Amino acid sequence: MSFPNEPPTTLAEPPKRLGSVAIAIGVLAVMVVAGVIAGIAVLALRDDPSPDDADPPAPPASSAEVSEPAVPPSSSADADQTGPPVTEVQLPTSGDLTWPDSSWQAGDSIGREAAEPQSPCQTWTTDALPTHTAIHGRAFTLADGDGRAFAYVMSFQGETDASTAEEAILADGMDCAERLGGTGHPQQDLSSPIGVGAWIDVAWDGRVGSWGVARHGDRVVWLWIEAEGDASWLGQPDGPMADSLAGAVRRLAG
């Protein structure tokens, strides 16, 4: 049945459908956003340092840079090597020894220690010293007057042994005046660029004498001089032993 006064009924329009292109663009956008989020999360969780934090690679070694070989430090044994043994050549000559208003004459040399002490106050012997490699001796007499001298040259197994021997011989000489019951004088030191040493002057029973010892490297010279006569030089730095010991150490270094 119709009712003429009622308006005609209008049907609702169906919803419009999205096109395939729009759908594809939307899906692609969602994937891009998801990929960015996933990448950020992975970077945040990684422990590895970034390339900027990594140490730069070492530059290649240049062919011009050559490392020097390591040099071992010198040992005390290297600094204390034994030189050639002394010979008669190292014995002082008559020209090396001096004496006021006189001169010395050299006697024969011996290639060993003399059987008897060569000083009236000598107590040292080579047996009491560190091992020596050679010993030579020579006696001297004054050309005029009552005087005599004797020299030993010795070589040792290194400067350490030679220094020990020098000190022992000097210490023996320090007691010379007491053993002779005479008068001793202060020690005088040898002044020489090629050796070290010292001497002691003594006086006893109208005689004067001087005990000297010096060292050059691993070599030692011992010198004793005595005579009657002028004693004004005793204890003086320019006495006859000063020149005699200096000449003996020069010969010792030859």
Side-chain angles (χ1 to χ4, degrees):
M1 178 180 296
S2 62
F3 298 92
N5 293 329
E6 293 180 358
T9 302
T10 304
L11 297 176
E13 297 181 357
K16 296 181 178 180
R17 297 180 60 182
L18 293 177
S20 59
V21 174
I23 293 173
I25 292 174
V27 171
L28 180 61
V30 171
M31 293 176 64
V32 170
V33 172
V36 171
I37 294 174
I40 293 174
V42 169
L43 290 177
L45 294 176
R46 286 182 61 184
D47 293 332
D48 297 336
S50 64
D52 294 338
D53 296 334
D55 293 334
S62 172
S63 59
E65 297 178 359
V66 180
S67 59
E68 297 182 358
V71 179
S74 60
S75 64
S76 58
D78 295 334
D80 201 20
Q81 294 295 316
T82 303
V86 292
T87 66
E88 292 184 9
V89 174
Q90 279 74 51
L91 279 168
T93 66
S94 57
D96 295 325
L97 276 58
T98 63
W99 191 258
D101 303 324
S102 188
S103 60
W104 294 96
Q105 295 178 339
D108 295 334
S109 61
I110 56 174
R112 62 187 185 281
E113 184 181 9
E116 300 295 332
Q118 297 303 304
S119 164
C121 61
Q122 176 188 348
T123 64
W124 72 269
T125 63
T126 56
D127 293 340
L129 302 178
T131 303
H132 61 275
T133 58
I135 181 170
H136 293 271
R138 175 174 287 160
F140 302 82
T141 56
L142 277 178
D144 55 352
D146 179 18
R148 69 186 190 94
F150 195 89
Y152 274 130
V153 291
M154 298 161 278
S155 53
F156 295 86
Q157 295 180 349
E159 292 188 21
T160 300
D161 284 356
S163 180
T164 300
E166 176 206 358
E167 294 173 359
I169 295 173
L170 180 60
D172 193 38
M174 296 294 289
D175 298 329
C176 183
E178 181 180 355
R179 287 193 289 271
L180 292 176
T183 303
H185 293 267
Q187 171 184 321
Q188 302 288 336
D189 293 325
L190 173 68
S191 177
S192 171
I194 58 175
V196 294
W199 73 91
I200 303 98
D201 296 331
V202 296
W204 78 102
D205 296 337
R207 297 183 71 81
V208 291
S210 191
W211 175 296
V213 60
R215 178 180 63 84
H216 171 80
D218 60 1
R219 298 174 174 181
V220 174
V221 57
W222 172 72
L223 183 60
W224 167 258
I225 56 178
E226 65 170 281
E228 293 180 347
D230 183 19
S232 61
W233 52 265
L234 288 171
Q236 300 301 315
D238 58 352
M241 181 58 84
D243 291 335
S244 299
L245 194 59
V249 80
R250 283 195 300 268
R251 188 75 58 179
L252 187 69

